[in-house]
Amino acid sequence: MFVPNFLLAPLVVRHAGPLRAVEVLPGSYTDERIRQDWEENVLERVVPQESRSMLNATATLAVRSELSKPPKFYTEEDDKELDEKIGREKESTMARELTSFTLPLLLVWLSSPLLSLADSAFVGGMRTTAELAALGPGCSLCDSAYLMAYFVSVVTTSAVASARARGDERGARAATAAGALAAVAVGGLLTTLLSALNAGAPLLASASGTLAGDAASYVRHRCLGFAPALVSSALQAASLARRDVRPAIVAAVASSVVNLVGDFLLVPRFGLVGAADATALAQLAGLVVVWRAATKKRYLEFQRHGARTKK
């Protein structure tokens, strides 16, 4: 009967107690007499003498060959080489993680400028040059206002990451909810300042006459999407603090698609106002996507004052 060599790698030895597996340690016995005794002992316990004929000669020689190998001793150079190898593997793993995490974020950070770029492309291709000239200061003002309010997302990321580092998942959900509420407040304040109070007029002083009026109209309509955009960015920040990039990417893609479709449908008929409305709707669509993801994954939790919730 042929016994494959790989079946003899772990040799099972019966002692006074239960069976236990022992590995053949090559070179553990340097004395010839002790090694021979060990070989006979192993072979006798694994394959009794009466069954020794069933063991092929090749397998027997393989066992004896393994037992007769000289011992291998590890030196300091071996330890250093092993440490260097482990360090290289860690660096490679970290580089792959950073690449897979940071490159998709490029689309997220460029989402707002891409919306303005899409508005400029459709207005420039479907409307007059005067409207395109008025769109420049309007887009600059809206993008600058959005970036000034981006501190809400930064604070949300820090709060959620700190809570998770402490192992406080309920605190992380509460921080996400607080960031969303702060985004609503800041976005509502910006919308009020730029629309009802017409605070953007002094900032549009570089545009004169009809251009200033068209730019102000664009700002008043587009600022309606400030609150949804800031809430969406706060929820995206909470997802990124959990190293979850998918909701942010899906929201950015959804916003871009809605903006392109809206510009295609509204710009030919309504001009700058249509472009602003398409951008506001795109920001609202991004909020819907990231809100659904956050609620489904339980990233946020609104609490009443004094109410107790389970962790």
Side-chain angles (χ1 to χ4, degrees):
M1 176 180 176
F2 177 76
V3 180
N5 294 339
F6 67 85
L7 294 178
L8 295 175
L11 300 178
V12 180
V13 183
R14 181 179 297 275
H15 293 274
L19 288 175
R20 68 183 183 90
V22 297
E23 293 182 355
V24 176
L25 301 177
S28 298
Y29 296 84
T30 57
D31 186 79
E32 183 66 24
R33 181 176 179 182
I34 297 177
R35 177 158 57 252
Q36 290 177 358
D37 293 342
W38 166 253
E39 294 175 7
E40 293 299 329
N41 182 57
V42 168
L43 290 175
E44 177 64 27
R45 290 179 181 272
V46 175
V47 183
Q49 185 67 36
E50 59 271 14
S51 303
R52 191 73 59 85
S53 59
M54 299 173 60
L55 185 65
N56 58 59
T58 304
T60 306
L61 291 176
V63 174
R64 296 183 182 276
S65 175
E66 287 295 324
L67 292 172
S68 62
K69 287 181 179 179
K72 177 175 177 57
F73 299 98
Y74 288 92
T75 62
E76 292 184 0
E77 284 107 7
D78 296 329
D79 292 338
K80 291 180 180 179
E81 183 179 355
L82 181 60
D83 291 339
E84 292 177 357
K85 183 178 179 180
I86 294 175
R88 289 193 297 268
E89 292 179 354
K90 288 183 177 179
E91 291 178 358
S92 177
T93 302
M94 185 177 298
R96 288 195 299 268
E97 289 181 356
L98 288 175
T99 302
S100 62
F101 185 74
T102 55
L103 289 183
L105 292 181
L106 207 57
L107 179 63
V108 177
W109 304 135
L110 293 177
S111 60
S112 181
L114 286 176
L115 297 180
S116 299
L117 183 62
D119 290 347
S120 302
F122 278 93
V123 170
M126 298 181 175
R127 304 295 293 188
T128 64
T129 306
E131 288 178 310
L132 181 61
L135 185 64
C139 287
S140 298
L141 178 58
C142 292
D143 291 338
S144 298
Y146 176 78
L147 291 177
M148 283 193 304
Y150 201 75
F151 66 90
V152 177
S153 300
V154 176
V155 173
T156 302
T157 303
S158 177
V160 173
S162 299
R164 285 178 55 82
R166 298 191 304 268
D168 186 6
E169 185 61 33
R170 187 177 67 178
R173 294 195 296 266
T176 305
L181 293 176
V184 171
V186 174
L189 179 62
L190 285 176
T191 301
T192 301
L193 290 176
L194 294 178
S195 60
L197 300 180
N198 201 21
L203 301 177
L204 298 172
S206 59
S208 58
T210 305
L211 297 182
D214 292 340
S217 298
Y218 176 85
V219 171
R220 283 194 297 270
H221 282 258
R222 181 169 172 176
C223 69
L224 297 176
F226 278 176
L230 290 177
V231 175
S232 177
S233 64
L235 295 179
Q236 291 176 21
S239 299
L240 296 177
R242 293 173 169 86
R243 301 182 66 180
D244 185 5
V245 189
R246 181 180 175 82
I249 295 177
V250 175
V253 172
S255 298
S256 300
V257 172
V258 172
N259 188 44
L260 291 174
V261 175
D263 283 338
F264 180 77
L265 297 177
L266 299 178
V267 169
R269 183 174 181 181
F270 301 103
L272 290 180
V273 174
D277 291 339
T279 302
L281 290 175
Q283 292 170 331
L284 181 61
L287 172 61
V288 171
V289 171
V290 74
W291 182 274
R292 290 186 61 184
T295 53
K296 182 179 180 180
K297 299 180 180 181
R298 298 186 62 189
Y299 283 171
L300 73 164
E301 180 180 276
F302 294 96
Q303 302 179 14
R304 293 182 180 180
H305 182 69
R308 289 186 177 181
T309 57
K310 295 183 179 180
K311 186 175 181 180

